[in-house]
Amino acid sequence: AIGHEWADLEAQASLLEETRGSVLGQMVVGFIAQGRSATAAEHMAKASGAYQQHVMRMVEARRLALRAKVSYEARQLGS
């Protein structure tokens, strides 16, 4: 059912959003372990391809969840 699709996509988007900070934190810790300052490590982590990929996946997951929500609500109004 379309409501279940929305729920599943919402869960995927939420998981990526909730893990954004821990993904960044793990990267920062890695750069600090290499001798970088905390500020430099944070900048390097945010500029990394891996972090940018996480953010792009997160945004795309949210887009899909919102589209599923629109479809669900449109069907509810049409019923």
Side-chain angles (χ1 to χ4, degrees), residues 25-42 44-45:
Q26 289 172 357
M27 292 178 176
V28 168
V29 167
F31 286 121
I32 290 172
Q34 294 174 7
R36 308 289 183 175
S37 70
T39 301
E42 183 174 353
M44 291 174 74

Side-chain angles (χ1 to χ4, degrees), residues 16-34:
L16 288 169
E17 290 167 354
E18 292 296 324
T19 58
R20 181 180 185 177
S22 62
V23 167
L24 179 63
Q26 289 172 357
M27 292 178 176
V28 168
V29 167
F31 286 121
I32 290 172
Q34 294 174 7

Side-chain angles (χ1 to χ4, degrees), residues 53-72:
Q53 284 293 323
H54 182 83
V55 171
M56 288 190 298
R57 284 192 310 271
M58 181 182 74
V59 170
E60 177 63 7
R62 175 58 52 208
R63 184 186 72 80
L64 293 174
L66 289 170
R67 287 180 60 110
K69 179 181 179 184
V70 168
S71 294
Y72 174 78

Side-chain angles (χ1 to χ4, degrees), residues 1-2 8 15 24 32 61 68-70 73-74 77:
I2 191 129
D8 292 344
L15 177 64
L24 179 63
I32 290 172
K69 179 181 179 184
V70 168
E73 290 178 347
L77 291 174

